[in-house]
Amino acid sequence: MDSGLSPQDKKDLDKFIKFFALKTVQVIVQARLGEKICTRSSSSPTGSDWFNLAIKDIPEVTHEAKKALAGQLPGIGRSMCVEISLKTSEGDSMELETWCLEMNEKCDKDIKVSYTVYNRLSVLLKSLLAITRVTPAYKLSRKQGHDYVILYRIYFGEVQLSGLGEGFQTVRAGVVGTPVGTVTLSCAYRTNLAFMSNRQFERSAPIMGIIVDHFVDPPGSGPRTANMGHPCNYRAPDDDDGGPYAGVQDSQEVCTTSFSTSPPSQLYASRLSYHPQAGAAELGHPIHSVCCKAAPLPPQGLHAGKEHGGVASNPAQPAHGADAHLAAENVANTPGENGGRRRDEQPSPSDPLESLNAFTRKIGAFVNKPNIQTAAGLDLPFAAFAPRGLDSEDSDPMVQPPDSPTCPSPLQASLHSQDSEGSGPQDDFVMVDFRPAFSKDDLLPMDLGTFYREFQNPPQLASLSLHISSQSMADDLDSLPEKLAVYEKNIDEFDAFVDMLQ
Amino acid sequence: MNCRSEVLEVTVEARQVEEAMLALLHTILLHRSSGKFHYKKEGTYSIGTVGTLDIDCDFIDFTFVRVSSEELDRVIRKAVSEFKDALSNSGSDGMGQISLEFYQKKKSRWPFSDECIPWEVWSIKVNVVNLANEQERQICREKVGEKLGEKVINVVEVINRHEYLPKMPTQSEVDNVFDTSLKDVQPYLYKITYQITDSLGTSVSTTMRRLIKDTLALFMQSVTSHMGRTGFPVCNFSKSKHLLFTLKFSSQKTVAPSLKNIRVDICLSAE
């Protein structure tokens, strides 16, 4: 096969392929570190930037790659593979994707090694950069830290795709023909992230708080545990959920409405549950929503976007209320906790996100989301203990403006405008990060945190209480015909106004 | 050589237009940019290094990679924001198309200007929708993120077919192939154009403008070749000082009845 290739070319080609393999691994691993990558362009060549691309070399990664290659080069039947997997704080792990650098027999004899092959390899690396941000594992890796971490493993030889579950998809970054074979770079990624949902009924032993400094990462200890730098401090907090009242989408509810234990310990538990990893239990329960009448919710669309299961969404916005939501809510999921809360859930393992969105979008009274009735109902403290009948009509009367769509609209409009700036799952009320600034980070009665929590959820205004609002609704209904008559009378004015706007 | 043409279509909300276009244009330019060339004495050259940058979109669940060059980013952002403004001014059912064309310059004889011969054109068709509520917007964020991911995969696929690329130029020719105006990277010569389709489904003003421009360009080319063939000497041209041509064409579409028949008078003067 090498007959047409001069020794110099052969040497160059081998060198290119070797460094290409090393750079490929760097790109893949760096893309899964959970951080945004930024390198600078330099107009004067430095001589050490292979393929004219500024790709940093993380020494451990190079070391691992060289170890795996053991002096060989990817060849026919000998592929270099980088396996990306996810490991939860409980110790479960799941393969997410496998990147394969393969060589096949199709040779392109006429191609110029030092020039065309080099440039094409460079383009292929750029494609790899682009593609690594597109596969589902990228989003997962950006959110790693608390609940789970992303690990990589490099191996050489036969490609093993069995760990990816059923229905995995493949995407190809590209091919480059060389005189000794065609280099192919592709990725097989898992689409079925369902393993998480099986754990919903388990609670593992509490994990004592461990802080792993992200600058110290043990080099690969064992084939599957080569750690990648954690981008943030990782703390697996206590999993003691005692009797948090649950049903709480809102962690404040945990402390304000719990009855079981004494306040400080309750707070302790609940506070920990804010660190969205309320450890183990959480992972086990990807957002099986307690309250959502989720079925009618938009969901399938959400499903498409993030069928990566609860894990992805759990640490969604670190230090945002959304996390607190999840933490508390998942905490609530532990069975036997409060049967009351589970009344009409429909665990939908395939749509964990839908419930997430149900929660994070649940807010106060004025948003026109009639589907989230139960969620809205839970706004009322102790609502779970209210008679059932009340709950069902509890869907905030303001949420169902009967005929006059204009009624809640000013509020809706203002809420919408708040929403529109946000990104990601939003909450219309300000969610407080429960690590209040300037407060000491200890677990005993913390004044600032307590204060925030207690006053975060003030009692309902009297005017919004059920009796009065239903009365006012009746009044509204009565006055409707009159209002309509007035509007009709002035219809010309309105038309003129509209014309003026156009 | 034929010009390769690729079309990508996306459906987005108004506020996502900018980021979606940036994501796709930058992805394409990432692959079509190289480091700065430094020519050395013996006709060889060395190539600078291209850095990359991850950009998270605010209105779309998507992250894309772009070349680490602020100048290039500025240029692209400017073009995209013009496109976005044109799209939003056109009405709520905005449909538009932004095109990224890579071309080579071919020097022509005086007095005609250089020809720009495209060798790859990427057209991104945009369809803007309005969504009613926040839930739909949330879904849209994710869906558009996925769609963009698919488009990136398409782009990568096309580029990795390794079809025609202009030959690496010599030092004197480098400006005919590459855009050497930036100080840190060197993309292939490119231009970005756009057109807006109004709700009637036909493009009006920009198409007419392009029609005229393209016709003129064709005309110029044919005049060049004609003159070349008959060996029409330059000095004759200078004697006559002016050349007046009239172009007539008629529009088949009835959208702009006033533009049905057009007569274009072109006067070329030699100075």
Side-chain angles (χ1 to χ4, degrees), chain A residues 35-46 49 52-55 115 119-120 123-124 126-131 133-134 138-139 142 171-176 189 297-299 301-307 353 357 361 369 371-372 416 419-426, chain B residues 15 27 30-38 45-59 61-65 67-69 132-135 137-139 141-143 145-146 148-150 152-153 156-157 159-163 165-168 183-185:
Chain A
E35 293 160 347
K36 294 207 291 191
I37 303 298
C38 169
T39 56
R40 297 188 51 179
S41 303
S42 150
S43 72
S44 35
T46 56
D49 290 323
N52 309 118
L53 280 175
I55 298 175
Y115 168 74
N119 286 335
R120 288 188 181 177
V123 170
L124 183 51
K126 291 173 181 166
S127 301
L128 181 65
L129 279 164
I131 297 278
R133 275 61 174 173
V134 159
Y138 180 71
K139 292 199 185 110
R142 287 293 295 271
V171 65
R172 204 164 70 165
V175 296
V176 171
Y189 59 94
L297 275 187
L302 301 174
H303 186 35
K306 289 191 182 170
E307 64 271 79
L353 191 58
N357 282 328
R361 236 173 274 120
K369 291 185 174 64
N371 283 334
I372 317 185
H416 274 233
D419 285 345
S420 58
E421 298 129 27
S423 60
Q426 297 153 23
Chain B
R15 64 182 185 169
T27 301
L30 169 70
H31 292 86
R32 291 284 179 246
S33 299
S34 112
K36 295 285 289 176
F37 281 17
H38 297 274
Y45 59 92
S46 58
I47 309 180
T49 305
V50 171
T52 57
L53 200 49
D54 283 344
I55 305 287
D56 287 337
C57 295
D58 292 324
F59 299 113
D61 278 347
F62 190 66
T63 303
F64 63 92
V65 182
V67 166
S68 187
S69 162
N133 65 43
E134 203 50 40
Q135 268 174 352
R137 289 202 189 104
Q138 182 61 26
I139 301 173
R141 272 183 76 90
E142 289 157 10
K143 276 221 163 111
E146 280 176 25
L148 283 182
E150 286 171 31
V152 164
I153 295 177
V156 158
E157 218 179 339
I159 289 184
N160 274 274
R161 286 187 217 146
H162 299 296
E163 290 165 346
L165 277 183
K167 258 182 23 205
M168 285 297 152
K183 64 177 180 353
D184 43 12
V185 292

Side-chain angles (χ1 to χ4, degrees), chain B residues 49-93:
Chain B
T49 305
V50 171
T52 57
L53 200 49
D54 283 344
I55 305 287
D56 287 337
C57 295
D58 292 324
F59 299 113
I60 314 177
D61 278 347
F62 190 66
T63 303
F64 63 92
V65 182
R66 70 163 170 89
V67 166
S68 187
S69 162
E70 294 310 314
E71 284 177 90
L72 183 62
D73 189 36
R74 268 199 294 274
V75 171
I76 305 297
R77 278 184 186 272
K78 183 157 166 290
V80 167
S81 114
E82 278 174 22
F83 173 64
K84 187 184 81 149
D85 292 337
L87 205 53
S88 54
N89 292 337
S90 75
S92 60
D93 260 11

Side-chain angles (χ1 to χ4, degrees), chain B residues 193-236:
Chain B
T193 53
Y194 62 85
Q195 69 192 64
I196 307 295
T197 317
D198 67 13
S199 45
L200 290 174
T202 55
S203 5
V204 185
S205 55
T206 39
T207 302
M208 292 312 290
R209 229 183 295 140
R210 282 192 69 189
L211 254 168
I212 296 174
K213 217 171 66 163
D214 290 348
T215 312
L216 190 56
L218 269 173
F219 165 72
M220 298 298 267
Q221 281 182 24
S222 69
V223 168
T224 317
S225 59
H226 180 74
M227 291 174 93
R229 235 185 291 133
T230 59
F232 192 77
V234 165
C235 55
N236 276 3

Side-chain angles (χ1 to χ4, degrees), chain A residues 7 60 81 110 115 121 123 187 201 208 270-271 312 321 381 419:
Chain A
E60 313 171 344
C81 303
D110 301 324
Y115 168 74
L121 286 174
V123 170
C187 169
F201 297 116
M208 294 317 293
S270 58
R271 182 169 192 273
D419 285 345

